[in-house]
Amino acid sequence: MKRLCEEIRRRQRFVVTTHVEPDGDAVGSSLAMYHALRALGKEACVCLTDSVPPVYRFLPGSQQVLREVPADFNPDCLVALDCSELSRAGEIVSQIDRASVPILNIDHHLSNDRFGTFNLVEESAATGELVYAIIGELGIPVSREMGECVYTAILTDTGGFRYRNTTRRSLQIAAEIVSLGVSPGEIAERACESYPLERFQVLGKALRTLHVGCDGRVADFFVSRDMFNGNGVSPSIVEGFVNYPREIDGVLVSVFFREKDENQYRVSLRSKGDADVSLVARSFGGGGHRNAAGCLIEGEFDVVREHVLRKVCEMIQGSGL
Ligand code: 5GP
Ligand code: MN
């Protein structure tokens, strides 16, 4: 932490980035970092491979997010947030001269492969918590803007302070931010209750594919491309769908398949308690945490689904759950 903060002080022009298909923690921690760097008098730009999902566009700074590194910017530092591997940041990284630009890797995935020149990898509910700690270590007063971004990061990665990754520290940071005047109700309305109607139209179609198996312990469902094609909306509107079947009594693991391309599926896994879905995701070349993981799999849908569900059920049985 100290060395990473020294490096931040030494450098002048920062590109801040995060993973493809960014979620609330990805966007919130990137923008909090952006505000912190600017408060230190640094030049910074947030450059992402994918655009900010509409529900997170209320966050201060989101209008300044770029989809490429400006040709005349010449960064002397790259900050990668919430990425367990550098490849998770997507193609934006190819626009940076990695031979001369050090990378600060700040992440809360224990599976992180320490790709950075400096690595701050710590288990915490959200990468936003680590950014909050960096802001403190750098002695920067937490502004309302930083607060809103960090609060949203923690709120979304803890499922609204409900998941088991929620700690005393998550709640303490949230309380400190609320004392700055940030309203939990307002942020929750914006980040969790401002989805486009199309999300629920697609959800309706997807839920018709819901199945529960493995003795009532695994629920899965999927969206195909044609479920949203008619609506002309971006795939980001299905973010978080995987969380719904987790709410079924007795279900330990919820699996959501999204058709990304012909014979290519994004698989999202969520679990309760000790069921470790990162083991399943890793066996398919993906990664994540014990209770939230994902991977990308090629093949015909029925085969992919059957393969994943078998692995999940084996994992549950193997853990004696
Ligand atoms: P989601 O289901 O929201 O896409 O991802 C859940 C978690 O799994 C996230 O913390 C994310 O970092 C991780 N994850 C999802 N997909 C991949 C992947 O393809 N590779 C790796 N390494 N991690 C993934
Ligand atoms: Mn995260």
Side-chain angles (χ1 to χ4, degrees):
M1 166 70 97
K2 287 221 154 51
R3 290 191 53 204
L4 185 124
C5 288
E6 268 168 41
E7 195 62 16
I8 292 177
R9 289 190 189 285
R10 261 161 40 92
R11 302 282 162 180
Q12 211 35 247
R13 283 179 308 283
F14 295 78
V15 165
V16 177
T17 197
T18 186
H19 58 81
V20 291
E21 299 177 354
D23 55 17
D25 184 28
V27 177
S29 56
S30 300
L31 291 174
M33 193 70 197
Y34 168 78
H35 293 299
L37 290 168
R38 304 215 345 154
L40 281 176
K42 310 289 184 184
E43 285 179 62
C45 69
V46 180
C47 303
L48 308 186
T49 299
D50 292 333
S51 56
V52 173
V55 291
Y56 302 125
R57 290 189 193 156
F58 75 93
L59 286 174
S62 59
Q63 306 304 322
Q64 278 77 55
V65 171
L66 305 174
R67 299 285 302 283
E68 47 189 44
V69 181
D72 57 356
F73 188 65
N74 294 321
D76 61 4
C77 190
L78 172 66
V79 184
L81 293 152
D82 205 35
C83 293
S84 50
E85 295 129 45
L86 192 56
S87 61
R88 290 274 294 147
E91 62 196 32
I92 199 86
V93 173
S94 66
Q95 298 174 21
I96 285 170
D97 175 16
R98 281 170 49 199
S100 63
V101 177
I103 300 176
L104 311 186
N105 166 16
I106 302 166
D107 183 34
H108 68 136
H109 295 89
L110 291 183
S111 64
N112 186 292
D113 69 6
R114 326 252 153 180
F115 59 81
T117 321
F118 298 90
N119 302 287
L120 178 66
V121 179
E122 260 178 43
E123 188 164 27
S124 54
T127 298
E129 290 188 6
L130 303 178
V131 175
Y132 189 83
I134 291 170
I135 292 171
E137 178 74 27
L138 288 166
I140 305 167
V142 183
S143 67
R144 195 190 164 103
E145 291 170 324
M146 295 172 208
E148 287 183 358
C149 296
V150 169
Y151 189 95
T152 302
I154 301 174
L155 178 77
T156 53
D157 255 23
T158 56
F161 303 103
R162 287 184 296 133
Y163 301 151
R164 291 190 194 207
N165 62 353
T166 311
T167 62
R168 177 189 151 92
R169 187 170 156 64
S170 321
L171 295 164
Q172 199 151 25
I173 295 172
E176 285 169 21
I177 292 172
V178 172
S179 35
L180 299 172
V182 172
S183 154
E186 246 171 64
I187 300 262
E189 267 171 41
R190 301 243 202 176
C192 315
E193 300 176 351
S194 299
Y195 289 108
L197 173 63
E198 289 79 8
R199 175 179 169 91
F200 294 89
Q201 291 165 336
V202 176
L203 180 62
K205 293 183 202 168
L207 283 176
R208 273 180 242 148
T209 72
L210 182 70
H211 278 274
V212 177
C214 191
D215 287 331
R217 291 174 298 177
V218 180
D220 79 287
F221 70 137
F222 82 97
V223 289
S224 58
R225 282 176 299 170
D226 52 297
M227 287 186 200
F228 25 174
N229 280 351
N231 292 307
V233 288
S234 122
S236 77
I237 65 154
V238 306
E239 186 203 326
F241 272 20
V242 64
N243 296 307
Y244 293 115
R246 209 177 158 277
E247 297 176 11
I248 302 168
D249 186 26
V251 165
L252 296 181
V253 175
S254 146
V255 188
F256 176 62
F257 298 92
R258 169 161 67 81
E259 183 186 17
K260 202 173 151 124
D261 226 317
E262 173 117 30
N263 286 339
Q264 195 185 56
Y265 295 87
R266 263 225 67 83
V267 185
S268 286
L269 300 137
R270 297 292 184 273
S271 66
K272 292 181 193 156
D274 292 334
D276 187 349
V277 286
S278 74
L279 300 176
V280 177
R282 244 180 285 161
S283 76
F284 291 102
H289 314 269
R290 185 185 59 187
N291 299 122
C295 53
L296 187 69
I297 309 185
E298 315 237 329
E300 283 198 29
F301 181 65
D302 292 342
V303 179
V304 169
R305 175 172 178 271
E306 148 74 32
H307 204 159
V308 171
L309 296 182
R310 183 160 14 101
K311 279 266 183 217
V312 170
C313 198
E314 280 170 9
M315 177 276 290
I316 290 175
Q317 287 162 345
S319 327
L321 296 168

Short mmCIF file of all heavy atoms in Angstrom, two decimals, residues 78 101 107 136 174-175 226 263 268:
data_model
loop_
_atom_site.label_atom_id
_atom_site.label_comp_id
_atom_site.label_asym_id
_atom_site.label_seq_id
_atom_site.Cartn_x
_atom_site.Cartn_y
_atom_site.Cartn_z
N LEU A 78 -0.48 3.42 -15.48
CA LEU A 78 -1.78 2.80 -15.77
C LEU A 78 -2.32 2.21 -14.48
O LEU A 78 -1.62 1.46 -13.80
CB LEU A 78 -1.61 1.69 -16.82
CG LEU A 78 -2.86 0.82 -17.09
CD1 LEU A 78 -3.97 1.62 -17.74
CD2 LEU A 78 -2.49 -0.37 -17.99
N VAL A 101 5.37 2.11 -19.25
CA VAL A 101 4.36 2.62 -18.32
C VAL A 101 4.10 1.60 -17.21
O VAL A 101 3.66 0.49 -17.47
CB VAL A 101 3.04 2.92 -19.08
CG1 VAL A 101 1.95 3.38 -18.12
CG2 VAL A 101 3.26 3.97 -20.16
N ASP A 107 -7.08 -4.65 -6.75
CA ASP A 107 -8.17 -5.61 -6.98
C ASP A 107 -8.50 -6.38 -5.71
O ASP A 107 -7.66 -6.55 -4.83
CB ASP A 107 -7.73 -6.59 -8.09
CG ASP A 107 -8.82 -7.58 -8.45
OD1 ASP A 107 -10.01 -7.22 -8.39
OD2 ASP A 107 -8.48 -8.74 -8.76
N GLY A 136 -7.47 7.45 1.82
CA GLY A 136 -7.09 7.74 3.21
C GLY A 136 -5.59 7.78 3.37
O GLY A 136 -5.03 8.71 3.99
N ALA A 174 -19.36 2.82 4.44
CA ALA A 174 -20.64 3.36 3.99
C ALA A 174 -21.13 4.43 4.96
O ALA A 174 -21.58 5.50 4.55
CB ALA A 174 -21.66 2.23 3.86
N ALA A 175 -20.99 4.15 6.27
CA ALA A 175 -21.46 5.12 7.28
C ALA A 175 -20.65 6.41 7.19
O ALA A 175 -21.21 7.51 7.28
CB ALA A 175 -21.33 4.51 8.68
N ASP A 226 -31.72 -13.50 -29.59
CA ASP A 226 -33.00 -13.01 -30.13
C ASP A 226 -33.97 -12.55 -29.05
O ASP A 226 -34.91 -11.83 -29.32
CB ASP A 226 -33.64 -14.00 -31.10
CG ASP A 226 -33.77 -15.38 -30.49
OD1 ASP A 226 -32.71 -15.95 -30.19
OD2 ASP A 226 -34.90 -15.84 -30.28
N ASN A 263 -22.80 -20.00 -30.82
CA ASN A 263 -22.06 -21.01 -30.06
C ASN A 263 -21.02 -20.45 -29.09
O ASN A 263 -19.94 -21.02 -28.91
CB ASN A 263 -21.38 -22.02 -31.01
CG ASN A 263 -22.41 -22.96 -31.62
OD1 ASN A 263 -23.51 -23.13 -31.07
ND2 ASN A 263 -22.06 -23.56 -32.74
N SER A 268 -22.50 -16.85 -15.89
CA SER A 268 -22.34 -16.18 -14.60
C SER A 268 -22.81 -17.14 -13.52
O SER A 268 -23.86 -17.77 -13.66
CB SER A 268 -23.21 -14.93 -14.52
OG SER A 268 -22.66 -13.92 -15.31
#
